Amino acid sequence: MSRKFTVTSLPPAGPAGTPDRESHRDSAAEILHLSGEDAKGDGNPKESSPFINSTDTEKGKEYDGKNMALFEEEMDTSPMVSSLLSGLANYTNLPQGSREHEEAENNEGGKKKPVQAPRMGTFMGVYLPCLQNIFGVILFLRLTWVVGIAGIMESFCMVFICCSCTMLTAISMSAIATNGVVPAGGSYYMISRSLGPEFGGAVGLCFYLGTTFAGAMYILGTIEILLAYLFPAMAIFKAEDASGEAAAMLNNMRVYGTCVLTCMATVVFVGVKYVNKFALVFLGCVILSILAIYAGVIKSAFDPPNFPICLLGNRTLSRHGFDVCAKLAWEGNETVTTRLWGLFCSSRFLNATCDEYFARNNVTEIQGIPGAASGLIKENLWSSYLTKGVIVERQGMPSVGLADGTPIDMDHPYVFSDMTSYFTLLVGIYFPSVTGIMAGSNRSGDLRDAQKSIPTGTILAIATTSAVYISSVVLFGACIEGVVLRDKFGEAVNGNLVVGTLAWPSPWVIVIGSFFSTCGAGLQSLTGAPRLLQAISRDGIVPFLQVFGHGKANGEPTWALLLTACICEIGILIASLDEVAPILSMFFLMCYMFVNLACAVQTLLRTPNWRPRFRYYHWTLSFLGMSLCLALMFICSWYYALVAMLIAGLIYKYIEYRGAEKEWGDGIRGLSLSAARYALLRLEEGPPHTKNWRPQLLVLVRVDQDQNVVHPQLLSLTSQLKAGKGLTIVGSVLEGTFLDNHPQAQRAEESIRRLMEAEKVKGFCQVVISSNLRDGVSHLIQSGGLGGLQHNTVLVGWPRNWRQKEDHQTWRNFIELVRETTAGHLALLVTKNVSMFPGNPERFSEGSIDVWWIVHDGGMLMLLPFLLRHHKVWRKCKMRIFTVAQMDDNSIQMKKDLTTFLYHLRITAEVEVVEMHESDISAYTYEKTLVMEQRSQILKQMHLTKNEREREIQSITDESRGSIRRKNPANTRLRLNVPEETAGDSEEKPEEEVQLIHDQSAPSCPSSSPSPGEEPEGEGEADPEKVHLTWTKDKSVAEKNKGPSPVSSEGIKDFFSMKPNQSNVRRMHTAVRLNEVIVKKSRDAKLVLLNMPGPPRNRNGDENYMEFLEVLTEHLDRVMLVRGGGREVITIYS
């Protein structure tokens, strides 16, 4: 915890320059004075170290003194060990009602009262709360019925399985709880920090729902005890006959349950301190009731209680309508009928018409509690499952049955089964009786030492309750008659609570004790559930729940309590304890399952931070516990299990899609890392098969001075091409040194990531700082990716204004990029006019994607339009494939073969074969080549000023464009006057002027260098205003006389008399002819894809290569030049 310090000056030195030791010692205490005000926290969450990377300037004072001067420059990030240990020793958990993170406290502002350190130990803080939550309504109201239905053997197995599940979960929870500090939030905190925010939020909300429905179950148990055993006369709804009693009871439960819920929520709202004050009282009732049961068992061994059971034949009778268990009674010397006779006969007279079964069978009376020494245990060993509406019968009693199909009158005073029972149903009803093991971890904020108290207290509580439950199963089966055990509501024992009949000294001990224990458990649920929801809300992982993180000034979760009460009301409206119990069993089992999963994952991954103080755990135990929880979920109710999993899955996907990004160092991240490592090692085994090949893109972008991407359309195209599949790396290069430009690189990465998120590009970002752009791009191409997960395709933009660069480094970098991708066997995609490419929101309603397949490059040209047409932007565009036929080719057969090939590739496209006949090289092509070569000579021989050089370059370029428009007068917008004589005649006609048109709006050379292949900003359209410049030999001589240029008249003569290279003429001829055909066929295409020629092997002709590509793609709006990587990427085989 940071402190405020006041720095005072040291006393002056003593004689001879030696400081006075005494004065120095006396003043040492005055050097640093605590201000007495604690800082509001260091701004870091509790699960992170509050010391590393701290920016508190006060900590720098701890480095004062010459002994630590060597480390003083790192004091902002690396604290002294003494300060670290001091802060850890002074660490205190925040109490349960306070904020989980200290950074949240910083936002509150204002003055706060000092929070007292928690003082609760293992016994009071964990053991007793767990006992109170585990012992509850099921023990008192349903355990005897479960034993009677399932028998001792199956009940024992049921209890053993459930208790084993909770014990294994407690072991896993103990390991997680002792692996670091556990703030308030308990189980949710452990799961979320172990399995990540998605699993943590999903399981945390499921646990919250389970705790909330547990509150409803406890309230329903309270009302059942109240109306069935304490005050039956309080029932509002009365049944007119026996068949309507169940419905009337449910309505009474709904009304009284709502009232009790309102009262309990009010108590919790007023203050948890009142709940805590009565907690010991409620716990005392639970313990006293259990002791009374054991006392009754001991007493029954030698003095059984008197609870007679009346049987008609072998059928159990309800004691509500009669007092004497006999048909006839003697009054004096006269035989009279009893009240029981009147219930089965038409009148009280002896000649009355009676029920057939009543007339055939005798009435007998047996003891309901024979005692532990009666040998009854043998009869109750095995199960007696019943269907709904069946009379509870005693096995082994003589009975004269009726004919099959004889209806049973529901108004007769029999004890009926109210539901169909089977083993899996009983498991679902019983399992809530072993829940509550998280009570200690939920109170972790109130514990003095949570890492010690949670494991010890929880395991001891589970051991205690398991022993009680297992012994109770055996003792109930040994002491209580089977028909009484199967009598859920104690109708055969005068409406007494069945377990109460066994207790000593009186059944009322159990009735009153169970009433208060269920009340206390309900209050605990309504206290814990809102705090769990508050912890989830304050983490911010579920956006729509953030409102429930707010509360009163003291941290009490008011809004969360309101939501909890509303959800609890749903359980109360169900009104049946037997229906609510399986619901909360699902949610608790899911929570326990993920606790075990968290421990198993952490143990198997062996993460460095996994160092639990609790040593008695193993991943096999956690895995067994997880499997047991999953099995119990489907054993209890397979459809409830599916619904619970669906709810958890929806919450998981919602948090993954909408939730805040959290990095908690969870095990799922570690599991992902291990899985990724395994997959990468598998990828290293060999290159992918052609069927699995897809473009793994390295996208090279340029950022401006503000570190924003210059051409976001490249990422839009990437998104359209990838559709979220495969690998995408967006790379950029900054010039400079790493130490000086690291902050700019971080800003550039953040900017690129934002753009990637906006364009929905799934991938990675990598910014490299290099001394020059060429080396930086080379490093990206060589080192991008990891192992087998590497890029196989490079996507760049065309350097449109490459002619205007002063040092020509842009086109040189671009050509080197082409050469490096070829050497690395990488495919290359070059987009020209990238600013005209569509964004993701745009849609093409018609049009075509034209593929000009000139040379085979492995099938990239076929695959790219197929991938693009999967995206909504290009979906309605049809695909057209053009190929070129020479003189010796059979164009008809070529079209058939290509159609067949596309059919086997399962690609739908129109096919057209374009015939290009051999023709003489036109004067235009000859002149075009000559102008291109003259341009190179100008740059080599003439040393002009910067402005004059730009004008010369642009003038020659414009002459080239003008020549094209002279060949195509319909498309021309420029005016050009060129003499018909060849360049060699210029020597005889020195005064004849060649008119060159120069665009006045040609942009100047940008100050920042773009990445290779990236188009610079400011690619504006040409200004219609033109400037006429004249170039003559005389002007050249005048330029020579004006400046110190070494150009001689002989050099100028060579320039005007030079002949074009025949190889360049042939290449230019191909470019011109292909461009003519492509423009003719694909002028209106939405996108044109064509093969990209390779660069020349002789580096002296690099600038000519750029000119060839310019001519090849002129007059086309959207062009993608494609160069294959040297391998097949598409196949006809399955």
Side-chain angles (χ1 to χ4, degrees), residues 570-598:
I570 296 175
I572 289 175
L573 291 178
I574 296 175
S576 173
L577 188 148
D578 300 319
E579 296 290 336
V580 174
I583 297 176
L584 63 99
S585 294
M586 293 300 110
F587 292 123
F588 279 121
L589 280 168
M590 181 169 291
C591 177
Y592 297 164
M593 180 178 69
F594 280 101
V595 169
N596 287 290
L597 175 63

PDB file of all heavy atoms in Angstrom, residues 570-598:
ATOM      1  N   ILE A 570     -39.968 -16.824  -9.038  1.00  0.00           N
ATOM      2  CA  ILE A 570     -40.298 -17.829 -10.050  1.00  0.00           C
ATOM      3  C   ILE A 570     -40.307 -19.221  -9.417  1.00  0.00           C
ATOM      4  O   ILE A 570     -41.217 -20.022  -9.652  1.00  0.00           O
ATOM      5  CB  ILE A 570     -39.271 -17.765 -11.207  1.00  0.00           C
ATOM      6  CG1 ILE A 570     -39.365 -16.408 -11.915  1.00  0.00           C
ATOM      7  CG2 ILE A 570     -39.510 -18.902 -12.199  1.00  0.00           C
ATOM      8  CD1 ILE A 570     -38.310 -16.214 -12.988  1.00  0.00           C
ATOM      9  N   GLY A 571     -39.287 -19.510  -8.609  1.00  0.00           N
ATOM     10  CA  GLY A 571     -39.270 -20.800  -7.930  1.00  0.00           C
ATOM     11  C   GLY A 571     -40.430 -20.970  -6.976  1.00  0.00           C
ATOM     12  O   GLY A 571     -40.965 -22.078  -6.830  1.00  0.00           O
ATOM     13  N   ILE A 572     -40.830 -19.894  -6.323  1.00  0.00           N
ATOM     14  CA  ILE A 572     -41.952 -19.986  -5.383  1.00  0.00           C
ATOM     15  C   ILE A 572     -43.261 -20.217  -6.131  1.00  0.00           C
ATOM     16  O   ILE A 572     -44.152 -20.934  -5.654  1.00  0.00           O
ATOM     17  CB  ILE A 572     -42.010 -18.711  -4.523  1.00  0.00           C
ATOM     18  CG1 ILE A 572     -40.824 -18.720  -3.549  1.00  0.00           C
ATOM     19  CG2 ILE A 572     -43.319 -18.610  -3.767  1.00  0.00           C
ATOM     20  CD1 ILE A 572     -40.698 -17.474  -2.743  1.00  0.00           C
ATOM     21  N   LEU A 573     -43.394 -19.641  -7.317  1.00  0.00           N
ATOM     22  CA  LEU A 573     -44.616 -19.867  -8.097  1.00  0.00           C
ATOM     23  C   LEU A 573     -44.704 -21.314  -8.579  1.00  0.00           C
ATOM     24  O   LEU A 573     -45.806 -21.810  -8.826  1.00  0.00           O
ATOM     25  CB  LEU A 573     -44.660 -18.902  -9.285  1.00  0.00           C
ATOM     26  CG  LEU A 573     -44.859 -17.421  -8.923  1.00  0.00           C
ATOM     27  CD1 LEU A 573     -44.842 -16.563 -10.163  1.00  0.00           C
ATOM     28  CD2 LEU A 573     -46.163 -17.223  -8.152  1.00  0.00           C
ATOM     29  N   ILE A 574     -43.564 -21.981  -8.737  1.00  0.00           N
ATOM     30  CA  ILE A 574     -43.617 -23.421  -9.039  1.00  0.00           C
ATOM     31  C   ILE A 574     -44.248 -24.171  -7.875  1.00  0.00           C
ATOM     32  O   ILE A 574     -44.985 -25.138  -8.074  1.00  0.00           O
ATOM     33  CB  ILE A 574     -42.191 -23.944  -9.334  1.00  0.00           C
ATOM     34  CG1 ILE A 574     -41.643 -23.281 -10.595  1.00  0.00           C
ATOM     35  CG2 ILE A 574     -42.176 -25.469  -9.471  1.00  0.00           C
ATOM     36  CD1 ILE A 574     -40.209 -23.643 -10.909  1.00  0.00           C
ATOM     37  N   ALA A 575     -43.918 -23.719  -6.677  1.00  0.00           N
ATOM     38  CA  ALA A 575     -44.623 -24.093  -5.442  1.00  0.00           C
ATOM     39  C   ALA A 575     -44.337 -25.499  -4.947  1.00  0.00           C
ATOM     40  O   ALA A 575     -44.710 -25.839  -3.833  1.00  0.00           O
ATOM     41  CB  ALA A 575     -46.142 -23.913  -5.594  1.00  0.00           C
ATOM     42  N   SER A 576     -43.694 -26.351  -5.731  1.00  0.00           N
ATOM     43  CA  SER A 576     -43.418 -27.714  -5.287  1.00  0.00           C
ATOM     44  C   SER A 576     -41.933 -27.851  -5.002  1.00  0.00           C
ATOM     45  O   SER A 576     -41.094 -27.627  -5.876  1.00  0.00           O
ATOM     46  CB  SER A 576     -43.841 -28.722  -6.366  1.00  0.00           C
ATOM     47  OG  SER A 576     -43.436 -30.028  -6.004  1.00  0.00           O
ATOM     48  N   LEU A 577     -41.627 -28.236  -3.772  1.00  0.00           N
ATOM     49  CA  LEU A 577     -40.232 -28.423  -3.395  1.00  0.00           C
ATOM     50  C   LEU A 577     -39.585 -29.520  -4.240  1.00  0.00           C
ATOM     51  O   LEU A 577     -38.414 -29.420  -4.618  1.00  0.00           O
ATOM     52  CB  LEU A 577     -40.159 -28.770  -1.915  1.00  0.00           C
ATOM     53  CG  LEU A 577     -38.795 -28.839  -1.231  1.00  0.00           C
ATOM     54  CD1 LEU A 577     -38.932 -28.417   0.226  1.00  0.00           C
ATOM     55  CD2 LEU A 577     -38.196 -30.232  -1.294  1.00  0.00           C
ATOM     56  N   ASP A 578     -40.358 -30.556  -4.577  1.00  0.00           N
ATOM     57  CA  ASP A 578     -39.820 -31.657  -5.376  1.00  0.00           C
ATOM     58  C   ASP A 578     -39.553 -31.243  -6.817  1.00  0.00           C
ATOM     59  O   ASP A 578     -38.760 -31.892  -7.507  1.00  0.00           O
ATOM     60  CB  ASP A 578     -40.798 -32.847  -5.359  1.00  0.00           C
ATOM     61  CG  ASP A 578     -41.035 -33.350  -3.940  1.00  0.00           C
ATOM     62  OD1 ASP A 578     -40.065 -33.415  -3.182  1.00  0.00           O
ATOM     63  OD2 ASP A 578     -42.200 -33.640  -3.605  1.00  0.00           O
ATOM     64  N   GLU A 579     -40.205 -30.205  -7.303  1.00  0.00           N
ATOM     65  CA  GLU A 579     -39.960 -29.714  -8.663  1.00  0.00           C
ATOM     66  C   GLU A 579     -38.809 -28.711  -8.704  1.00  0.00           C
ATOM     67  O   GLU A 579     -38.088 -28.630  -9.694  1.00  0.00           O
ATOM     68  CB  GLU A 579     -41.240 -29.054  -9.210  1.00  0.00           C
ATOM     69  CG  GLU A 579     -42.415 -29.996  -9.382  1.00  0.00           C
ATOM     70  CD  GLU A 579     -42.192 -30.981 -10.515  1.00  0.00           C
ATOM     71  OE1 GLU A 579     -41.399 -30.673 -11.416  1.00  0.00           O
ATOM     72  OE2 GLU A 579     -42.815 -32.063 -10.488  1.00  0.00           O
ATOM     73  N   VAL A 580     -38.635 -27.953  -7.656  1.00  0.00           N
ATOM     74  CA  VAL A 580     -37.583 -26.932  -7.632  1.00  0.00           C
ATOM     75  C   VAL A 580     -36.217 -27.561  -7.382  1.00  0.00           C
ATOM     76  O   VAL A 580     -35.206 -27.113  -7.933  1.00  0.00           O
ATOM     77  CB  VAL A 580     -37.898 -25.871  -6.556  1.00  0.00           C
ATOM     78  CG1 VAL A 580     -36.746 -24.887  -6.403  1.00  0.00           C
ATOM     79  CG2 VAL A 580     -39.176 -25.126  -6.915  1.00  0.00           C
ATOM     80  N   ALA A 581     -36.173 -28.626  -6.571  1.00  0.00           N
ATOM     81  CA  ALA A 581     -34.889 -29.222  -6.194  1.00  0.00           C
ATOM     82  C   ALA A 581     -34.056 -29.673  -7.401  1.00  0.00           C
ATOM     83  O   ALA A 581     -32.853 -29.379  -7.464  1.00  0.00           O
ATOM     84  CB  ALA A 581     -35.124 -30.380  -5.239  1.00  0.00           C
ATOM     85  N   PRO A 582     -34.627 -30.383  -8.402  1.00  0.00           N
ATOM     86  CA  PRO A 582     -33.787 -30.775  -9.545  1.00  0.00           C
ATOM     87  C   PRO A 582     -33.254 -29.587 -10.343  1.00  0.00           C
ATOM     88  O   PRO A 582     -32.176 -29.677 -10.944  1.00  0.00           O
ATOM     89  CB  PRO A 582     -34.729 -31.640 -10.398  1.00  0.00           C
ATOM     90  CG  PRO A 582     -35.777 -32.124  -9.461  1.00  0.00           C
ATOM     91  CD  PRO A 582     -35.955 -31.007  -8.482  1.00  0.00           C
ATOM     92  N   ILE A 583     -33.989 -28.461 -10.356  1.00  0.00           N
ATOM     93  CA  ILE A 583     -33.527 -27.289 -11.109  1.00  0.00           C
ATOM     94  C   ILE A 583     -32.233 -26.758 -10.516  1.00  0.00           C
ATOM     95  O   ILE A 583     -31.239 -26.526 -11.227  1.00  0.00           O
ATOM     96  CB  ILE A 583     -34.624 -26.204 -11.120  1.00  0.00           C
ATOM     97  CG1 ILE A 583     -35.864 -26.712 -11.851  1.00  0.00           C
ATOM     98  CG2 ILE A 583     -34.104 -24.929 -11.762  1.00  0.00           C
ATOM     99  CD1 ILE A 583     -37.023 -25.738 -11.829  1.00  0.00           C
ATOM    100  N   LEU A 584     -32.230 -26.553  -9.207  1.00  0.00           N
ATOM    101  CA  LEU A 584     -31.015 -26.005  -8.608  1.00  0.00           C
ATOM    102  C   LEU A 584     -29.897 -27.049  -8.577  1.00  0.00           C
ATOM    103  O   LEU A 584     -28.715 -26.684  -8.554  1.00  0.00           O
ATOM    104  CB  LEU A 584     -31.295 -25.450  -7.215  1.00  0.00           C
ATOM    105  CG  LEU A 584     -31.762 -26.402  -6.126  1.00  0.00           C
ATOM    106  CD1 LEU A 584     -30.603 -26.784  -5.244  1.00  0.00           C
ATOM    107  CD2 LEU A 584     -32.845 -25.727  -5.280  1.00  0.00           C
ATOM    108  N   SER A 585     -30.280 -28.352  -8.598  1.00  0.00           N
ATOM    109  CA  SER A 585     -29.247 -29.385  -8.685  1.00  0.00           C
ATOM    110  C   SER A 585     -28.432 -29.226  -9.963  1.00  0.00           C
ATOM    111  O   SER A 585     -27.203 -29.386  -9.961  1.00  0.00           O
ATOM    112  CB  SER A 585     -29.876 -30.782  -8.639  1.00  0.00           C
ATOM    113  OG  SER A 585     -30.478 -31.031  -7.391  1.00  0.00           O
ATOM    114  N   MET A 586     -29.104 -28.900 -11.070  1.00  0.00           N
ATOM    115  CA  MET A 586     -28.410 -28.730 -12.347  1.00  0.00           C
ATOM    116  C   MET A 586     -27.367 -27.617 -12.262  1.00  0.00           C
ATOM    117  O   MET A 586     -26.213 -27.774 -12.679  1.00  0.00           O
ATOM    118  CB  MET A 586     -29.412 -28.391 -13.451  1.00  0.00           C
ATOM    119  CG  MET A 586     -30.361 -29.488 -13.807  1.00  0.00           C
ATOM    120  SD  MET A 586     -29.524 -30.974 -14.400  1.00  0.00           S
ATOM    121  CE  MET A 586     -29.846 -32.047 -13.016  1.00  0.00           C
ATOM    122  N   PHE A 587     -27.789 -26.479 -11.738  1.00  0.00           N
ATOM    123  CA  PHE A 587     -26.890 -25.323 -11.700  1.00  0.00           C
ATOM    124  C   PHE A 587     -25.714 -25.570 -10.752  1.00  0.00           C
ATOM    125  O   PHE A 587     -24.570 -25.210 -11.066  1.00  0.00           O
ATOM    126  CB  PHE A 587     -27.668 -24.076 -11.286  1.00  0.00           C
ATOM    127  CG  PHE A 587     -28.670 -23.635 -12.315  1.00  0.00           C
ATOM    128  CD1 PHE A 587     -30.016 -23.512 -11.997  1.00  0.00           C
ATOM    129  CD2 PHE A 587     -28.274 -23.334 -13.605  1.00  0.00           C
ATOM    130  CE1 PHE A 587     -30.939 -23.100 -12.938  1.00  0.00           C
ATOM    131  CE2 PHE A 587     -29.193 -22.920 -14.556  1.00  0.00           C
ATOM    132  CZ  PHE A 587     -30.528 -22.801 -14.226  1.00  0.00           C
ATOM    133  N   PHE A 588     -25.976 -26.186  -9.612  1.00  0.00           N
ATOM    134  CA  PHE A 588     -24.876 -26.481  -8.693  1.00  0.00           C
ATOM    135  C   PHE A 588     -23.921 -27.512  -9.286  1.00  0.00           C
ATOM    136  O   PHE A 588     -22.699 -27.378  -9.164  1.00  0.00           O
ATOM    137  CB  PHE A 588     -25.422 -26.977  -7.350  1.00  0.00           C
ATOM    138  CG  PHE A 588     -25.869 -25.886  -6.435  1.00  0.00           C
ATOM    139  CD1 PHE A 588     -27.175 -25.823  -5.959  1.00  0.00           C
ATOM    140  CD2 PHE A 588     -24.987 -24.895  -6.033  1.00  0.00           C
ATOM    141  CE1 PHE A 588     -27.584 -24.816  -5.109  1.00  0.00           C
ATOM    142  CE2 PHE A 588     -25.389 -23.885  -5.186  1.00  0.00           C
ATOM    143  CZ  PHE A 588     -26.685 -23.833  -4.722  1.00  0.00           C
ATOM    144  N   LEU A 589     -24.466 -28.540  -9.920  1.00  0.00           N
ATOM    145  CA  LEU A 589     -23.606 -29.557 -10.522  1.00  0.00           C
ATOM    146  C   LEU A 589     -22.740 -28.972 -11.626  1.00  0.00           C
ATOM    147  O   LEU A 589     -21.569 -29.337 -11.775  1.00  0.00           O
ATOM    148  CB  LEU A 589     -24.458 -30.706 -11.061  1.00  0.00           C
ATOM    149  CG  LEU A 589     -24.942 -31.718 -10.019  1.00  0.00           C
ATOM    150  CD1 LEU A 589     -26.009 -32.632 -10.606  1.00  0.00           C
ATOM    151  CD2 LEU A 589     -23.781 -32.536  -9.484  1.00  0.00           C
ATOM    152  N   MET A 590     -23.298 -28.065 -12.405  1.00  0.00           N
ATOM    153  CA  MET A 590     -22.503 -27.436 -13.460  1.00  0.00           C
ATOM    154  C   MET A 590     -21.371 -26.608 -12.857  1.00  0.00           C
ATOM    155  O   MET A 590     -20.234 -26.627 -13.344  1.00  0.00           O
ATOM    156  CB  MET A 590     -23.393 -26.567 -14.343  1.00  0.00           C
ATOM    157  CG  MET A 590     -22.644 -25.904 -15.483  1.00  0.00           C
ATOM    158  SD  MET A 590     -23.751 -25.166 -16.677  1.00  0.00           S
ATOM    159  CE  MET A 590     -24.465 -26.625 -17.388  1.00  0.00           C
ATOM    160  N   CYS A 591     -21.678 -25.889 -11.794  1.00  0.00           N
ATOM    161  CA  CYS A 591     -20.642 -25.105 -11.129  1.00  0.00           C
ATOM    162  C   CYS A 591     -19.544 -26.011 -10.589  1.00  0.00           C
ATOM    163  O   CYS A 591     -18.343 -25.756 -10.796  1.00  0.00           O
ATOM    164  CB  CYS A 591     -21.268 -24.283 -10.008  1.00  0.00           C
ATOM    165  SG  CYS A 591     -20.074 -23.329  -9.047  1.00  0.00           S
ATOM    166  N   TYR A 592     -19.940 -27.097  -9.918  1.00  0.00           N
ATOM    167  CA  TYR A 592     -18.945 -28.013  -9.356  1.00  0.00           C
ATOM    168  C   TYR A 592     -18.122 -28.669 -10.463  1.00  0.00           C
ATOM    169  O   TYR A 592     -16.919 -28.915 -10.299  1.00  0.00           O
ATOM    170  CB  TYR A 592     -19.632 -29.076  -8.506  1.00  0.00           C
ATOM    171  CG  TYR A 592     -20.365 -28.547  -7.301  1.00  0.00           C
ATOM    172  CD1 TYR A 592     -21.297 -29.327  -6.618  1.00  0.00           C
ATOM    173  CD2 TYR A 592     -20.146 -27.250  -6.846  1.00  0.00           C
ATOM    174  CE1 TYR A 592     -21.976 -28.844  -5.504  1.00  0.00           C
ATOM    175  CE2 TYR A 592     -20.820 -26.757  -5.738  1.00  0.00           C
ATOM    176  CZ  TYR A 592     -21.735 -27.548  -5.078  1.00  0.00           C
ATOM    177  OH  TYR A 592     -22.400 -27.058  -3.987  1.00  0.00           O
ATOM    178  N   MET A 593     -18.780 -28.974 -11.576  1.00  0.00           N
ATOM    179  CA  MET A 593     -18.068 -29.605 -12.678  1.00  0.00           C
ATOM    180  C   MET A 593     -16.941 -28.700 -13.188  1.00  0.00           C
ATOM    181  O   MET A 593     -15.825 -29.159 -13.453  1.00  0.00           O
ATOM    182  CB  MET A 593     -19.044 -29.915 -13.823  1.00  0.00           C
ATOM    183  CG  MET A 593     -18.386 -30.574 -15.030  1.00  0.00           C
ATOM    184  SD  MET A 593     -19.556 -30.983 -16.331  1.00  0.00           S
ATOM    185  CE  MET A 593     -20.004 -29.346 -16.916  1.00  0.00           C
ATOM    186  N   PHE A 594     -17.206 -27.412 -13.299  1.00  0.00           N
ATOM    187  CA  PHE A 594     -16.188 -26.507 -13.823  1.00  0.00           C
ATOM    188  C   PHE A 594     -15.130 -26.169 -12.776  1.00  0.00           C
ATOM    189  O   PHE A 594     -14.009 -25.813 -13.141  1.00  0.00           O
ATOM    190  CB  PHE A 594     -16.850 -25.247 -14.367  1.00  0.00           C
ATOM    191  CG  PHE A 594     -17.427 -25.432 -15.742  1.00  0.00           C
ATOM    192  CD1 PHE A 594     -18.786 -25.624 -15.914  1.00  0.00           C
ATOM    193  CD2 PHE A 594     -16.603 -25.438 -16.847  1.00  0.00           C
ATOM    194  CE1 PHE A 594     -19.318 -25.810 -17.167  1.00  0.00           C
ATOM    195  CE2 PHE A 594     -17.130 -25.626 -18.109  1.00  0.00           C
ATOM    196  CZ  PHE A 594     -18.486 -25.814 -18.280  1.00  0.00           C
ATOM    197  N   VAL A 595     -15.462 -26.284 -11.510  1.00  0.00           N
ATOM    198  CA  VAL A 595     -14.416 -26.151 -10.488  1.00  0.00           C
ATOM    199  C   VAL A 595     -13.403 -27.284 -10.647  1.00  0.00           C
ATOM    200  O   VAL A 595     -12.182 -27.073 -10.620  1.00  0.00           O
ATOM    201  CB  VAL A 595     -15.031 -26.142  -9.074  1.00  0.00           C
ATOM    202  CG1 VAL A 595     -13.941 -26.289  -8.023  1.00  0.00           C
ATOM    203  CG2 VAL A 595     -15.802 -24.857  -8.835  1.00  0.00           C
ATOM    204  N   ASN A 596     -13.907 -28.503 -10.829  1.00  0.00           N
ATOM    205  CA  ASN A 596     -13.015 -29.643 -11.056  1.00  0.00           C
ATOM    206  C   ASN A 596     -12.239 -29.497 -12.357  1.00  0.00           C
ATOM    207  O   ASN A 596     -11.043 -29.814 -12.431  1.00  0.00           O
ATOM    208  CB  ASN A 596     -13.817 -30.951 -11.071  1.00  0.00           C
ATOM    209  CG  ASN A 596     -14.294 -31.369  -9.696  1.00  0.00           C
ATOM    210  OD1 ASN A 596     -13.517 -31.764  -8.851  1.00  0.00           O
ATOM    211  ND2 ASN A 596     -15.601 -31.270  -9.467  1.00  0.00           N
ATOM    212  N   LEU A 597     -12.916 -29.012 -13.395  1.00  0.00           N
ATOM    213  CA  LEU A 597     -12.231 -28.808 -14.669  1.00  0.00           C
ATOM    214  C   LEU A 597     -11.112 -27.788 -14.525  1.00  0.00           C
ATOM    215  O   LEU A 597     -10.017 -27.962 -15.084  1.00  0.00           O
ATOM    216  CB  LEU A 597     -13.236 -28.354 -15.729  1.00  0.00           C
ATOM    217  CG  LEU A 597     -12.645 -27.971 -17.094  1.00  0.00           C
ATOM    218  CD1 LEU A 597     -11.974 -29.180 -17.738  1.00  0.00           C
ATOM    219  CD2 LEU A 597     -13.727 -27.404 -17.998  1.00  0.00           C
ATOM    220  N   ALA A 598     -11.376 -26.731 -13.781  1.00  0.00           N
ATOM    221  CA  ALA A 598     -10.357 -25.695 -13.595  1.00  0.00           C
ATOM    222  C   ALA A 598      -9.120 -26.261 -12.927  1.00  0.00           C
ATOM    223  O   ALA A 598      -7.985 -26.001 -13.353  1.00  0.00           O
ATOM    224  CB  ALA A 598     -10.935 -24.544 -12.772  1.00  0.00           C
TER     225      ALA A 598
END
